[in-house]
Amino acid sequence: MPAQTDEAVKTSGEKKPAPRDGRRGRKARRAQRAEGHAAAPAFITRRIPYYELLSEEGLQKIDDTADTILQEIGIEILGDPTALDLWRAAGADIQGERIRFPRGLVRRIIQATAPRSFVQHARNPARSVTIGGDSIVFVPAHGPPFVSDLEGGRRYGSLEDFRNPIKLAYASPWIHHSGGTICEPVDVPVNKRHLDMVYSHIRYSDKAFLGSITTTERALDSIELARIAFGQEFTDENCVIMGNVNVNSPLVYDGMVTEVIRAYAAANQGCVISPFILGGAMGPVTSAGAIAQAHAEAMVDVALTQLVRPGAPVIYGNFLSSMSLRSGAPTFGMPEPAVAYLAVGQLARRLGVPLRCGGSLTSSKVADAQATQESADSLTPALLSGANFILQAAGWLEGGLVMGYEKFVMDADHLGMMHSFMKGLPLDDNALALDAFREVGPGKHFFGCAHTMANYETAFFDSELADSSSYEQWRDNGKQDAVKRAHSRWTATLKSYEAPPLDQALDEELQAFIRNKKDAVEDAWY
Amino acid sequence: MPAQTDEAVKTSGEKKPAPRDGRRGRKARRAQRAEGHAAAPAFITRRIPYYELLSEEGLQKIDDTADTILQEIGIEILGDPTALDLWRAAGADIQGERIRFPRGLVRRIIQATAPRSFVQHARNPARSVTIGGDSIVFVPAHGPPFVSDLEGGRRYGSLEDFRNPIKLAYASPWIHHSGGTICEPVDVPVNKRHLDMVYSHIRYSDKAFLGSITTTERALDSIELARIAFGQEFTDENCVIMGNVNVNSPLVYDGMVTEVIRAYAAANQGCVISPFILGGAMGPVTSAGAIAQAHAEAMVDVALTQLVRPGAPVIYGNFLSSMSLRSGAPTFGMPEPAVAYLAVGQLARRLGVPLRCGGSLTSSKVADAQATQESADSLTPALLSGANFILQAAGWLEGGLVMGYEKFVMDADHLGMMHSFMKGLPLDDNALALDAFREVGPGKHFFGCAHTMANYETAFFDSELADSSSYEQWRDNGKQDAVKRAHSRWTATLKSYEAPPLDQALDEELQAFIRNKKDAVEDAWY
């Protein structure tokens, strides 16, 4: 994408803000904000250029290194002979479970049929998201076994803790997707959990969501629930659910993972392929090498989806992390992965596939100054790099071990700011404001001038959490820091939450499917 | 600057990290970090490309709007007939105190003689900073009347509070400049304060610093103290002190300000010209208009320095802020000024002058999650835009009303991360790590491999404040959040502070000058 032009900053596709009606006061402002929320786009369409870190020559070096890794060292797929057969038929060299790929093979397979962009449909069609190209989709935290909040402290997640952030994401205009395992509901048996999780996404939100990937059967159950919700025919032809899978880096795929990938792809549903590399542990300690490795790993399974079903929706993922020199612990929001993200975005565009990056990452245990700094330092590079599907965008704490309630709404507010950032800089006559200068002249203020009155309400992002009041006002309000304000915010949002409508017959069909599935097997807790 | 190439990522000019010597344990690590600090560069040389937000066409629109403002509406300089005479002689149209400028005049004057880059010399030559081009200089907070810390709370600044952050900045490898009014020492009379302030910068640090700009006499005193410290002849030929001035936006310069500018420029010392525009108050509420206004305002006084003394060192400054829709209060770290910064960087490069931007800005009252998020969201755009002199990089709180001790060291640590970020992505054979893949192969870890051992200690930034320990470790250490860790850090740094050497005769000469100046007038407290 070239530097922005006038064309690029037109706000096409978004509803216009509500007209000014002179209403004032807290109630009126709240109503106005609610209208603003209703007008929020289903996803972001970027109006600012990509950040191009590397030259073509630099990108070629990384692509070449990935090719050498694939050709010379190869990748192992453990325990999935079908995947090996697919690769053998495609022209790869198989020895045991090690696959070596002729240079360029994997890339050619991807570029032949993988979509540059696709739509994941939501239960509410107005909330369907385009993934790829200039679109950006913010997705909540994914994977934490624990949750924490200011009053309840840190604890294992429950089904209620799983539903709550679904409700918060549904209520937020700035989170585009309901996510997947926002936390693990550990009060539900491991082998039945996925049913309640997928159901909760359907029941408590109308946004798009992820399904289970922990076993092939659970993946198939997830897809079946989606078929009930969206209809068999519609689901066959459209992406309505996705599975997010990790690689057993370095250079290994567990057969369970490739089976799950094959299940989603065969059903024409989406796969998110995400190598997670902690530099110095699952990959080299230098960023360029870790990028090349992740590139090789991701490309192999992105290509696998195309061997299963050409044209299947798939997202090329990346998750690089650094390490503490003091303890060997993973660190997040550090500068080396931030720089790496910028290069990864270029590699994904070169390949022509949608990109998933991590969002608001941190190793902090609480929603403190460390947490938001690291989160901002992760999110901004992801946005500049051109990431399309930003997982872990809200609620992530403690290196992904914890879904934090306060962090969730703080992140959501920050994601709102990023909506404004990605709009770029309008340069029409109104924005350039020459008439305002003519009206006001030197030494006067712009508070009441016609230009200010006409543009005031849409000029600046209206943060619901940032406190810009005077010290005296802030003191008199009880010296609340950001985390305390966030606590008030999420508790109030849950209190006023109302579920989106769900057809009763459909609801009963979903519940019957779940009941049958649950009744068929004993509970398993591990 | 084009996308980075191999050439661009060579770490020329920086000392190599200390060789590995097998030392371990806390003491050894501390010693190693101290060595690392000693090897820290005096300023950053960027190795990553600029972010180019606007096309040439878009930039031309803003330049044209600024020209129209200057030609049609003009700028007032109140109470400085000498400045008016200079502009009259240069070809401007003067009516009363209103100056209107033929299109392109101001730009031509700047481009004829203003330096693209210059050196501000520090008392320690190894700490002299290059300002302009690909260099980045981090400078502490500037201007707060208040200070705060976790134990002492919020209070007016004292001379001790002024000296302390000078010592913290001196001790930090990531802050390149001693700054100016890090806080107001309100326990010293207003008319004598500047003498103690400039002396403190010389006495307690060896980094470069700013002088007073509150009156012409105080500016001249500041320059005189610098002449004593650096020698008359050296000071005549080199920039050793600078004054940072604001504009009375919109479109007015107080004559006191232009007098001070003329004093610094006449002495061949640096001026930082910084319009501060709160959109909707001192300028239009739309960013493009505010940028054009700031551009016009800054260019006029940048040009004035060149009318006084062609070739005088000068920095084109910019400080745009947004406004809360709820209260009309200024807000910081918001997305609209962040986008604006990116365009301002392009305008400064087009003009060919060094750029000053704000750094770690926030309206938060405390060093909480809001504070660092807003600071990160301000700092990153400044870095991407190509800002050379980043004022307010450490310690800023409450919209600039407060210098926070904890925030100061938190920001310093963050600035350290930015040193790594600005290095970009090395792509040499060692970084691409093919030998590591050959050594390790699929499914093994990289912890002990030769490549990891050889690169481990320089691979990742070593944050002194981020906590990446396990929950259990963190809990057992007292559940310290970031602000508590920062409190321990700054108190320990002050405890171990040792002043840099200062020649005794020189010290006596400085003190004698100050004594004479102080004895000559009564104390004034306003």
Side-chain angles (χ1 to χ4, degrees), chain B residues 194 212-221 256 259-260 263-264:
Chain B
H194 62 289
S212 175
I213 53 91
T214 48
T215 69
T216 306
E217 196 190 347
R218 293 172 203 160
L220 293 171
D221 283 350
M256 181 69 87
E259 256 192 57
V260 165
Y264 275 94

Side-chain angles (χ1 to χ4, degrees), chain A residues 438-449:
Chain A
R438 289 179 180 128
E439 182 186 350
V440 176
K444 309 287 196 311
H445 67 70
F446 285 71
F447 282 119
C449 81

Side-chain angles (χ1 to χ4, degrees), chain B residues 410-427:
Chain B
M410 285 158 68
D411 284 336
D413 193 59
H414 191 222
L415 297 176
M417 296 177 196
M418 295 302 111
H419 279 69
S420 292
F421 185 75
M422 301 308 289
K423 282 182 187 169
L425 188 68
L427 291 175

Side-chain angles (χ1 to χ4, degrees), chain B residues 46 50-51 341-342 345-346 349 355 357 380-387:
Chain B
R46 73 183 299 128
Y50 301 112
Y51 183 78
Y341 268 12
L342 300 170
Q346 295 180 282
R349 281 197 293 288
L355 170 64
C357 278
T380 303
L383 288 169
L384 293 171
S385 81

Side-chain angles (χ1 to χ4, degrees), chain B residues 190-323:
Chain B
V190 168
N191 61 339
K192 301 181 176 177
R193 204 174 275 179
H194 62 289
L195 298 163
D196 291 327
M197 292 163 78
V198 172
Y199 175 78
S200 297
H201 282 297
I202 297 171
R203 182 71 198 88
Y204 298 106
S205 184
D206 62 1
K207 299 185 179 181
F209 57 89
L210 303 174
S212 175
I213 53 91
T214 48
T215 69
T216 306
E217 196 190 347
R218 293 172 203 160
L220 293 171
D221 283 350
S222 303
I223 296 167
E224 199 51 41
L225 281 166
R227 282 203 185 99
I228 296 169
F230 288 88
Q232 173 79 45
E233 202 177 327
F234 188 85
T235 303
D236 286 347
E237 287 167 13
N238 295 283
C239 175
V240 300
I241 190 169
M242 300 201 292
N244 176 68
V245 298
N246 285 120
V247 183
N248 292 62
S249 302
L251 304 175
V252 173
Y253 276 98
D254 192 295
M256 181 69 87
V257 169
T258 49
E259 256 192 57
V260 165
I261 289 172
R262 293 194 290 102
Y264 275 94
N268 199 27
Q269 300 307 304
C271 290
V272 191
I273 313 288
S274 303
F276 169 58
I277 298 177
L278 167 57
M282 299 91 102
V285 78
T286 51
S287 289
I291 294 169
Q293 175 190 336
H295 192 42
E297 291 173 344
M299 284 199 296
V300 166
D301 270 6
V302 169
L304 179 65
T305 65
Q306 302 306 303
L307 296 181
V308 171
R309 180 168 177 148
V314 63
I315 300 175
Y316 166 99
N318 182 280
F319 197 163
L320 300 176
S321 153
S322 49
M323 184 193 277

Side-chain angles (χ1 to χ4, degrees), chain A residues 55-390:
Chain A
S55 63
E56 275 301 303
E57 184 197 350
L59 293 170
Q60 190 60 51
K61 277 193 184 188
I62 296 179
D63 262 332
D64 285 344
T65 304
D67 274 352
T68 302
I69 293 170
L70 290 173
Q71 177 190 32
E72 192 181 308
I73 295 149
I75 284 212
E76 289 178 357
I77 296 182
L78 306 179
D80 183 3
T82 306
L84 297 180
D85 288 345
L86 285 167
W87 274 116
R88 189 179 292 110
D93 168 49
I94 317 285
Q95 297 186 8
E97 293 182 309
R98 179 84 67 103
I99 317 174
R100 290 185 177 81
F101 306 82
R103 291 187 90 82
L105 171 68
V106 175
R107 193 175 295 106
R108 275 197 305 277
I109 292 168
I110 294 170
Q111 291 179 331
T113 60
R116 284 180 172 269
S117 172
F118 63 90
V119 173
Q120 182 183 3
H121 292 268
R123 196 158 71 73
N124 176 353
R127 291 289 159 207
S128 294
V129 289
T130 296
I131 301 173
D134 287 339
S135 84
I136 300 164
V137 176
F138 289 138
V139 192
H142 187 77
F146 299 100
V147 300
S148 78
D149 80 274
L150 200 56
E151 281 186 0
R154 184 181 186 270
R155 59 192 186 271
Y156 275 107
S158 68
L159 189 55
E160 191 191 344
D161 289 317
F162 181 82
R163 288 174 183 154
N164 284 339
I166 290 177
K167 296 175 182 177
L168 295 175
Y170 168 69
S172 171
W174 315 126
I175 297 179
H176 310 119
H177 196 280
S178 196
T181 311
I182 312 190
C183 71
E184 282 286 345
V186 302
D187 52 349
V188 183
V190 168
N191 60 340
K192 301 181 177 177
R193 206 174 274 177
H194 62 290
L195 299 163
D196 291 327
M197 292 164 77
V198 172
Y199 176 77
S200 298
H201 281 298
I202 296 172
R203 181 72 200 86
Y204 299 106
S205 184
D206 62 2
K207 300 185 179 181
F209 57 88
L210 302 174
S212 176
I213 53 92
T214 49
T215 69
T216 305
E217 194 190 347
R218 293 172 202 159
L220 292 171
D221 283 350
S222 303
I223 295 167
E224 198 50 43
L225 282 166
R227 281 202 185 99
I228 296 170
F230 288 88
Q232 172 81 44
E233 201 177 329
F234 189 84
T235 302
D236 286 346
E237 288 168 13
N238 295 284
C239 175
V240 300
I241 190 168
M242 299 201 293
N244 175 67
V245 298
N246 284 119
V247 183
N248 293 62
S249 303
L251 304 175
V252 173
Y253 276 98
D254 191 295
M256 181 71 87
V257 169
T258 48
E259 257 192 56
V260 165
I261 289 172
R262 292 193 290 103
Y264 275 95
N268 199 26
Q269 301 307 305
C271 289
V272 192
I273 313 286
S274 304
F276 169 57
I277 298 177
L278 167 58
M282 299 91 101
V285 77
T286 50
S287 289
I291 294 169
Q293 176 191 334
H295 191 43
E297 292 173 342
M299 284 199 296
V300 166
D301 270 5
V302 169
L304 179 64
T305 64
Q306 302 307 303
L307 296 181
V308 171
R309 179 168 177 147
V314 62
I315 300 176
Y316 165 99
N318 183 281
F319 196 164
L320 300 175
S321 153
S322 49
M323 184 193 280
S324 164
L325 300 180
R326 304 178 189 214
S327 65
T331 51
F332 299 94
M334 289 296 128
E336 296 82 9
V339 171
Y341 270 11
L342 300 170
V344 168
Q346 296 181 281
L347 291 171
R349 281 196 294 288
R350 220 165 184 242
L351 191 58
V353 286
L355 171 64
R356 172 226 141 151
C357 278
S360 308
L361 309 180
T362 179
S363 58
S364 184
K365 266 54 77 184
V366 285
D368 65 350
Q370 179 186 343
T372 50
Q373 178 181 293
E374 291 178 346
S375 292
D377 285 350
S378 303
L379 182 64
T380 303
L383 288 169
L384 293 171
S385 80
N388 304 107
F389 190 77
I390 301 191

